[in-house]
Amino acid sequence: MSEFTAAGPATPGDGRFGKYGGQYVAETLMPAIHELAGAYAAAAGDPLFQAELSRYFRHYVGRPSLLTFAANLSSELGAKIYLKREDLNHTGAHKINNCIGQALLARRMGKRRLIAETGAGQHGVATATVAALFGMPCDVYMGAEDVARQSLNVFRMKLLGTRVIPVHSGTCTLKDAMNEALRDWVTNVEDTHYLIGSVAGPHPYPVIVRDLQAVIGREAREQILGLEGCLPDALVACVGGGSNAAGLFSPFEGDRSVAMIGVEAAGEGIETGRHAATLGHGRVGVLHGSKSYVLCRDDGQISEAHSISAGLDYPGVGPEHALWKDTGRARYLTRTNREALDGLTLLARTEGILCALETAHAVAALAEVASDVGPDGIVILGLSGRGDKDMSTVARAMGTDLGLDGDRNSAAGSNGQGGGEEGDR
Amino acid sequence: MTRLRAVMDRARQTGRKFLVIYLTEGDPSPEQTPAIVSAAADAGADVIELGVPFSDPNADGVVIQEAMQRALVAGGGLHSALDSVAHLRSSGCEVPIVLFGYYNPLFVYGTEAFADAAKGAGVDAVLTVDLPLDELEELHGPLSKRGLDVVPLIAPTSGSERIARVEEFAPPFVYYISMTGITGAAFRGASGGRDRVAEIRSLSGAPVAVGFGIKTADDARSVAEYADGVVVGSAVIRRIASAGAGQAARAVAEFVAELRAGIDS
């Protein structure tokens, strides 16, 4: 069930999803991304690689992940709701699926070192994990503000033997971490693989990451057919860069009856301008190697994204989502910080599951989706990660200080106001 | 013929090595940019590479990042860069100007509208770090319709089949990034560059300027021994950053004169 298949329905040879995607990177990196595309195509067609990946998915990640019927939530919201439990993976989120696959690819290419960017720290932890597993040195770039608000994940990465490099440039968040990772890669491209954590970045990353995460949707499709004997009416997943949503959606793309609903972060409210709703309220632009929707000003300067969830706090989004938005194949909603917190407590109260703040945005959209599909309708929620990492942020937002974060000053205003002068544009 | 092509032709005929000086629009303020550009040109810069400040300059090292940040705070951007060029042209400054930058501000402006505005202001060519050869036509098309050029970048990692593609764009010169890395990194000496530059010149049919890490007159001289042109950026920006208030133009002029003397010695 966990086999990896490379041929997604829209795998473009030229790296385009309609007018989106492409390879907008420095010339120095072009040979490296061509090499990566070639290595990926070869690996995807190699049964040995697939078998190796399957073995790690099953015996290390713990796949297939469960598809849990959420009985209490279903009766409360009035639809049959299933949870695709990526929170039960090793390291607690969907990110590990991609990291295992890319680390195996890096090894095939003879790259000895891994680098990555991270926002919430989940991708950083997953990368640090595979680096330890495969014995590769690893540096993870993380915005200084995120380092402060995700101290637990920083500590986890360090324990795993990874060096965490705080990034003090720009807005000190995920986009700046990605800039710094690109600077590292352009300098050390000969021996280093840049393990991008989302379906963003230059081609072939959006395709590789989607294909590796598509194990989520393939399993879910088979599981729901087994449990219900039919396809679901709707899929719901949160969208920052968009990897867990792309992974859940893409195996259902050809099933036109299945609605695909992505949920972006509305931060403090769309009307405040302090949000991360790139698809909903951004414009077409070029950031970090691909053309897609971005949050930017009229003069083309990239805007700061805002969300209580560090993993959604990104002013770009994967190019395939941009295409799905334009064609109407997927629909994108937004939920605020406050609504996400309500979603988190709803799932905790009804199902005994503490989800990540990223996931909580998708939970917060379930009531709307449930009323669309009705009581007999079937909805699958992509439960992308568990919430342990967010407990101090959640507690603070609810007015309780757990005293867990080391650097209270840099974490001031954990919804994006920190960073002081450094964060000002 | 653009000012830039005229200067390239003259350099070829006379054997003069051309000196490209990078400056960031709006650093320390948009009001000072025209005077700094003029000062650099008067002191011996053959071409000015005028950097359009961008919020996410991920191919640049910390020196140019900080310059762009200062410029953005001071009100610099694509609009002010076009204004600076127009101002220079109206005051009679004819130094060739290559706009340097990242693609998003140009893309959001609209490539056709941008090409019109660049032509109208008196820009000669555009260099975008995040438009590799594979994506460059997107900008080259609109510019070439108006008689403006692109300046392609070639890296140490570029294979000969990529270098050969440069010819499609018939550029006034090619910018060879002398090492893998970001701007402002340590200069690793001139060795190895000689053969590469000869290869690029022969495959592209264009003169080759070498940049990245060149900080002193000695560095410039050693590169000018085999390159057609020399690009100096971060080292100039450092002079601006450490100059006293109102002294930026003078500091740049002094440094450019040193570099020029180094190359010509």
Side-chain angles (χ1 to χ4, degrees), chain A residues 202-220:
Chain A
H203 177 69
Y205 283 103
V207 172
I208 293 177
V209 179
R210 177 203 62 197
D211 289 351
L212 290 167
Q213 293 294 2
V215 67
I216 302 171
R218 278 198 309 279
E219 287 177 1

Side-chain angles (χ1 to χ4, degrees), chain A residues 161-239:
Chain A
T162 278
R163 193 160 59 140
V164 179
I165 304 175
V167 176
H168 294 276
S169 60
T171 56
C172 311
T173 58
L174 179 54
K175 80 175 175 72
D176 309 288
M178 205 155 171
N179 289 335
E180 209 55 39
L182 281 165
R183 291 184 186 114
D184 181 315
W185 199 30
V186 89
T187 307
N188 301 297
V189 60
E190 296 293 339
D191 74 342
T192 296
H193 175 68
Y194 179 13
L195 209 166
I196 292 184
S198 195
V199 287
H203 177 69
Y205 283 103
V207 172
I208 293 177
V209 179
R210 177 203 62 197
D211 289 351
L212 290 167
Q213 293 294 2
V215 67
I216 302 171
R218 278 198 309 279
E219 287 177 1
R221 196 171 185 283
E222 193 175 320
Q223 288 165 325
I224 198 72
L225 286 172
L227 290 164
E228 290 282 349
C230 64
L231 290 170
D233 297 282
L235 311 170
V236 183
C238 62
V239 176

Side-chain angles (χ1 to χ4, degrees), chain A residues 316-334:
Chain A
V317 68
E320 192 164 23
H321 286 291
L323 178 64
W324 283 340
K325 172 191 157 80
D326 286 7
T327 61
R329 181 62 191 90
R331 203 149 60 82
Y332 297 89
L333 309 175
T334 64

Side-chain angles (χ1 to χ4, degrees), chain A residues 50-62:
Chain A
Q50 295 193 25
E52 193 175 24
L53 185 64
S54 284
R55 199 164 59 241
Y56 280 107
F57 275 0
R58 182 171 175 80
H59 297 289
Y60 189 74
V61 178

Side-chain angles (χ1 to χ4, degrees), chain B residues 21-265:
Chain B
I21 294 294
Y22 169 87
L23 297 164
T24 301
E25 160 63 25
D27 174 36
S29 74
E31 294 70 33
Q32 292 176 70
T33 295
I36 297 171
V37 170
S38 282
D42 292 345
D46 300 286
V47 178
I48 299 297
E49 195 186 321
L50 186 61
V52 176
F54 184 52
S55 51
D56 294 77
N58 51 42
D60 282 297
V62 68
V63 172
I64 291 179
Q65 286 175 49
E66 287 176 1
M68 288 191 165
Q69 202 61 47
R70 287 193 298 271
L72 286 169
V73 170
L78 180 55
H79 287 90
S80 78
L82 292 167
D83 288 348
S84 288
V85 178
H87 182 274
L88 282 156
R89 298 307 184 215
S90 70
S91 61
C93 177
E94 289 295 309
V95 68
I97 295 178
V98 178
L99 276 194
F100 161 96
Y102 293 78
Y103 187 41
N104 197 55
L106 316 186
F107 176 79
V108 168
Y109 197 104
T111 49
E112 296 288 340
F114 164 72
D116 273 337
K119 171 85 177 170
V123 170
D124 298 287
V126 181
L127 190 169
T128 29
V129 267
D130 51 356
L131 282 181
L133 299 170
D134 315 63
E135 308 286 359
L136 190 52
E137 187 52 34
E138 206 170 317
L139 184 63
H140 174 254
L143 288 174
S144 63
K145 271 195 279 180
R146 293 155 178 91
L148 302 190
D149 290 308
V150 291
V151 173
L153 290 161
I154 289 295
T157 51
S158 311
S160 47
E161 72 296 341
R162 289 188 66 77
I163 300 173
R165 290 177 56 191
V166 163
E167 217 182 350
E168 294 165 35
F169 303 101
F173 71 93
V174 176
Y175 186 145
Y176 176 56
I177 303 165
S178 60
M179 60 205 188
T180 59
I182 50 178
T183 55
F187 186 59
R188 293 184 204 156
S191 65
R194 188 180 300 269
D195 294 346
R196 284 293 279 178
V197 167
E199 183 191 15
I200 296 165
R201 194 187 288 125
S202 103
L203 287 171
S204 69
V208 180
V210 173
F212 271 43
I214 299 169
K215 292 188 179 62
T216 65
D218 282 346
D219 297 342
R221 178 173 45 236
S222 65
V223 168
E225 280 170 19
Y226 59 86
D228 303 297
V230 177
V231 188
V232 184
S234 297
V236 181
I237 301 308
R238 281 203 189 87
R239 301 291 173 114
I240 293 176
S242 60
Q247 297 300 305
R250 205 178 70 185
V252 167
E254 279 168 14
F255 185 46
V256 171
E258 269 174 48
L259 292 168
R260 183 77 255 172
I263 292 170
D264 293 338
S265 65

Side-chain angles (χ1 to χ4, degrees), chain A residues 78-158:
Chain A
K80 293 167 90 169
I81 297 168
Y82 286 84
L83 311 173
K84 182 57 178 162
R85 300 292 304 280
E86 295 300 300
D87 61 318
L88 297 180
N89 293 342
H90 178 46
T91 73
H94 70 291
K95 294 290 187 186
I96 190 80
N97 303 327
N98 169 49
C99 289
I100 290 276
Q102 282 198 49
L104 289 173
L105 257 182
R107 219 165 52 163
R108 275 174 78 101
M109 289 189 294
K111 306 282 185 183
R112 52 167 284 282
R113 169 176 176 255
L114 297 176
I115 57 169
E117 83 293 337
T118 195
Q122 291 301 88
H123 174 56
V125 168
T127 305
T129 299
V130 298
L133 178 64
F134 296 123
M136 301 167 90
C138 179
D139 287 333
V140 169
Y141 292 92
M142 188 168 186
E145 175 159 334
D146 293 334
V147 168
R149 61 178 162 172
Q150 300 289 346
S151 54
L152 181 59
N153 271 344
V154 173
F155 189 63
R156 289 166 81 191
M157 285 184 268
K158 288 180 177 165

